[in-house]
Amino acid sequence: MPVTQRQITLVQNSFAKVEPIAEQAADIFYTKLFEYDPKLKPLFKSDIKAQGRKLMATLKVATAGLNDLDTLVPVLHQLAERHVNYGVKAADFTPVGNALLYALHQGLGNQFTDEVRQAWVDVFRLISTTMKDHSFS
């Protein structure tokens, strides 16, 4: 499950390209997430626009932190603990990951190459495994 420096760079660079359209990307993400798994919608009790801003801020921290996993892992553990309290289940990571990939593809267009997609898959796998191993097992 190791992530290479090249993958980290691809993820960070592609996220930087999505940041200017963060609000639209978050809208795409949540629309697709609720299409993939409508039973997740009740977990989001606050304003979905505010939740979208939180999502994008979290992605910014996570992507920036990929160069220093010793610092990022405790942040992911705290995030996992909060998500357990919200009612998130380990199985919910799959539709979240798929919705994230969809939103990135929509936001990046032809810049979402197979290599960029695989980098995001591997990074999301690292993040989700770290979170699930901490609080969902």
Side-chain angles (χ1 to χ4, degrees):
M1 181 179 38
V3 176
T4 68
Q5 186 58 52
R6 169 119 177 107
Q7 288 177 307
I8 291 170
T9 300
L10 288 169
V11 165
Q12 290 172 337
N13 290 345
S14 59
F15 183 73
K17 293 173 185 171
V18 171
E19 265 191 293
I21 59 159
E23 186 174 330
Q24 298 96 309
D27 287 344
I28 292 167
F29 169 83
Y30 284 110
T31 298
K32 187 54 73 172
L33 177 64
F34 300 145
E35 284 178 24
Y36 285 152
D37 196 341
K39 76 179 184 312
L40 294 177
K41 195 166 189 172
L43 296 177
F44 297 89
K45 300 181 181 13
S46 66
D47 172 51
I48 203 69
K49 293 282 188 202
Q51 184 62 42
R53 288 188 292 275
K54 290 179 190 176
L55 167 70
M56 297 309 285
T58 300
L59 284 172
K60 184 174 183 166
V61 168
T63 57
L66 291 171
N67 289 316
D68 184 3
L69 292 180
D70 290 338
T71 301
L72 180 59
V73 167
V75 172
L76 295 176
H77 288 174
Q78 291 173 354
L79 185 64
E81 290 164 11
R82 286 197 308 272
H83 280 74
V84 166
N85 291 333
Y86 300 148
V88 173
K89 307 288 184 227
D92 298 335
F93 282 83
T94 298
V96 166
N98 290 335
L100 176 61
L101 292 172
Y102 180 84
L104 289 164
H105 184 241
Q106 295 303 303
L108 292 168
N110 64 4
Q111 295 177 61
F112 194 66
T113 64
D114 289 344
E115 186 182 23
V116 170
R117 182 187 185 287
Q118 190 59 53
W120 274 99
V121 166
D122 291 347
V123 163
F124 186 76
R125 186 175 296 128
L126 171 72
I127 290 170
S128 63
T129 299
T130 300
M131 291 175 68
K132 287 189 280 189
D133 287 352
H134 178 73
S135 293
F136 293 87
S137 46

